[in-house]
Amino acid sequence: MRTKELRAKRAKLITDAQALIDKEGATPEEITRFDAMMAEADTLKAQIDGLERAFQLQAELAEQTRETADRQGISADQAEDNRQAERRLLVAWLANGVAGLEGDDAKKVRARLSAVEGVRNAAGTGSGPAGGYTIAPDFMRELLVAMKAQGGMREAARVISTSTGVELPWPVTDDTAAVATIVGENSQLPDGEDMTFGSRTLKSFTYSTLPIRISLQLLQDTAFDFDALIRDACAGRFQRGTNAHFTKGNGTTQPEGLILGAPVGRTGAAGQTTSVTWDDLTELEHSVDPAYRIGARYMFHDSVLKTLKKLKDGQGRPLWSPGVAVGAPDTINGYGYSINQDMPVMAPGAKSIAFGNFKNYVVRDVLNLQMVRLGERYADSMQVGFLGFLRTDGRLVSAGEPVKTYQNPPS
């Protein structure tokens, strides 16, 4: 079934569900039926998102191939051939290590191996060319696209890549109060206010996947696409680890989390320890400068979305609206939203909802992903282990307040 048909089916289901609670005094049975229908609508949404993300992944990878071709001055077909050659080399190394390669393949792999400090002995890799294999940039980009497709901070933030991991100062300024003025003919221009620049520094914290163990039999099955399996496993582990820190990291030994960097824009009234009102959302939206509301969206935990789906505005209209057209997002109070399972759930004192322009949160990746093959450590279990290492950081880089949060009251 195409996404257009799935969206139409979902839209009807939601309309029927909302009709159950649009009236005053909905019965417990009607509320239970509403929850069941909305759960079915969520299942359809997951199918739609999966199909659309697959199309998006294909489009992004095709665009990356074109960019590589333009950068290297070759045709798109040549760039794709080179990408497939790199993939073949990676698959050969994953399956057999250096010992199983010969000739030019062995030379190319050895040239890409570099020691990863503290890993060889701790991981039990033994002696010999067992350092980190520097993954080709195209594989790294596939990994980052897969991480983005899993949602959360990386989906909403601005993501940049650098070739090295040196500290990256990011100049910031808030010039929203400065205005242009009319000057008369032959009049001297008045002095303006100097722009005040600050700086945010993006670092490069090293994240590890921890060992990914795969059986030797599976590695020897040439029909199995295990490089994609390893890529997806790395993507999932990196995404879960980094997303938690991009959301609520301490900013010193971890990236600076959004919750730490974003000020409170609205606090709920006493007693709203696990709830929010339409007035709260409206106040939260308007606590953000209009300049930052361009491209703004919400972010919250999935449990918060369940609460918001039942809210109505002053005219009794649902705040949550499903996207019916292909590619159209669901909205809350007219704004799109991102589900982030590392956002706090509603609880006393929790910053449970964020709103603003998340492109002012910058995720910095170092395009130097390394893999370590643990050929000996799990040999007695007939397995091979793989470790991935990614260097990244993230923080709000605006001198203004582009994102604010709704905080549940302490009691």
Side-chain angles (χ1 to χ4, degrees):
M1 187 179 292
R2 297 178 301 175
T3 58
K4 184 176 180 179
E5 295 168 335
L6 287 172
R7 283 181 175 273
K9 181 179 179 181
R10 177 172 178 259
K12 183 180 185 308
L13 188 64
I14 291 168
T15 299
D16 293 343
Q18 289 176 337
L20 294 173
I21 61 170
D22 277 346
K23 57 189 178 182
E24 291 291 336
T27 66
E29 291 77 13
E30 288 173 329
I31 294 175
T32 299
R33 178 59 180 156
F34 169 84
D35 289 339
M37 294 173 74
M38 294 304 291
E40 186 179 349
D42 289 342
T43 300
L44 289 173
K45 181 68 162 59
Q47 295 178 25
I48 293 167
D49 288 346
L51 289 170
E52 292 184 348
R53 281 175 177 168
F55 296 145
Q56 179 187 12
L57 175 61
Q58 293 173 354
E60 290 194 27
L61 293 179
E63 178 61 26
Q64 289 172 5
T65 300
R66 288 192 292 270
E67 290 177 357
T68 299
D70 291 342
R71 186 172 59 254
Q72 297 179 354
I74 59 179
S75 68
D77 288 341
Q78 288 177 301
E80 178 60 22
D81 289 343
N82 292 342
R83 191 175 75 86
Q84 291 299 330
E86 285 285 356
R87 180 181 182 275
R88 181 188 62 78
L89 194 65
L90 174 63
V91 170
W93 175 75
L94 290 172
N96 304 297
V98 180
L101 302 177
E102 299 178 349
D104 289 341
D105 284 350
K107 293 179 181 178
K108 289 178 182 178
V109 168
R110 286 193 176 93
R112 299 278 283 277
L113 286 171
S114 60
V116 178
E117 184 178 0
V119 169
R120 287 174 53 173
N121 293 331
T125 55
S127 59
Y133 180 77
T134 303
I135 301 300
D138 284 340
F139 183 91
M140 173 67 170
R141 293 188 182 98
E142 289 183 25
L143 175 76
L144 297 179
V145 169
M147 291 169 66
K148 177 183 176 182
Q150 296 185 36
M153 287 296 299
R154 187 175 288 271
E155 175 192 32
R158 177 181 179 183
V159 181
I160 64 170
S161 299
T162 59
S163 58
T164 67
V166 298
E167 290 192 353
L168 179 63
W170 192 284
V172 296
T173 185
D174 184 5
D175 200 38
T176 56
V179 297
T181 185
I182 296 174
V183 295
E185 186 176 356
N186 298 321
S187 297
Q188 183 177 2
L189 293 176
D191 290 334
E193 294 185 6
D194 291 336
M195 294 183 67
T196 302
F197 287 91
S199 178
R200 301 284 189 273
T201 300
L202 291 165
K203 302 178 182 179
S204 55
F205 297 95
T206 300
Y207 287 82
S208 169
T209 60
L210 300 181
I212 300 170
R213 298 166 63 173
I214 298 179
S215 70
L216 285 172
Q217 292 90 336
L218 191 59
L219 287 175
Q220 293 165 359
D221 184 356
T222 57
F224 190 77
D225 191 11
F226 57 82
D227 63 314
L229 171 67
I230 292 175
R231 180 200 65 201
D232 292 342
C234 286
R237 295 186 183 194
F238 282 138
Q239 195 276 339
R240 289 187 291 273
T242 59
N243 191 75
H245 291 161
F246 293 157
T247 305
K248 50 191 178 185
N250 60 32
T252 52
T253 58
Q254 303 165 350
E256 180 187 84
L258 178 75
I259 296 300
L260 178 65
V264 175
R266 174 72 170 182
T267 300
Q272 292 180 196
T273 55
T274 58
S275 63
V276 64
T277 67
W278 173 53
D279 286 347
D280 292 328
L281 296 182
T282 301
E283 291 292 337
L284 174 61
E285 291 169 5
H286 286 271
S287 71
V288 175
D289 190 286
Y292 295 123
R293 293 208 298 268
I294 300 172
R297 63 193 296 109
Y298 280 100
M299 180 177 287
F300 37 67
H301 190 277
D302 185 64
S303 64
V304 175
L305 176 60
K306 183 178 180 179
T307 298
L308 296 177
K309 283 180 176 179
K310 299 177 182 179
L311 289 184
K312 298 177 182 178
D313 64 15
Q315 283 71 48
R317 297 170 298 192
L319 296 188
W320 178 76
S321 178
V324 178
V326 174
D330 296 346
T331 60
I332 293 289
N333 219 21
Y335 289 96
Y337 59 84
S338 296
I339 298 297
N340 181 348
Q341 291 301 85
D342 288 303
M343 283 286 290
V345 299
M346 286 192 177
K351 293 182 177 180
S352 55
I353 300 175
F355 174 82
N357 191 323
F358 295 96
K359 295 302 180 184
N360 289 275
Y361 190 96
V362 173
V363 172
R364 180 265 188 106
D365 295 316
V366 180
L367 279 178
N368 190 23
L369 176 69
Q370 289 192 323
M371 294 290 296
V372 173
R373 189 179 191 276
L374 309 178
E376 300 172 10
R377 183 171 176 178
Y378 304 110
D380 57 345
S381 301
M382 295 293 289
Q383 295 176 323
V384 175
F386 299 94
L387 284 169
F389 294 90
L390 172 69
R391 300 166 70 193
T392 188
D393 190 17
R395 64 185 54 232
L396 278 170
V397 297
S398 174
E401 297 178 340
V403 179
K404 291 191 177 181
T405 58
Y406 166 75
Q407 187 170 32
N408 294 97
S411 62

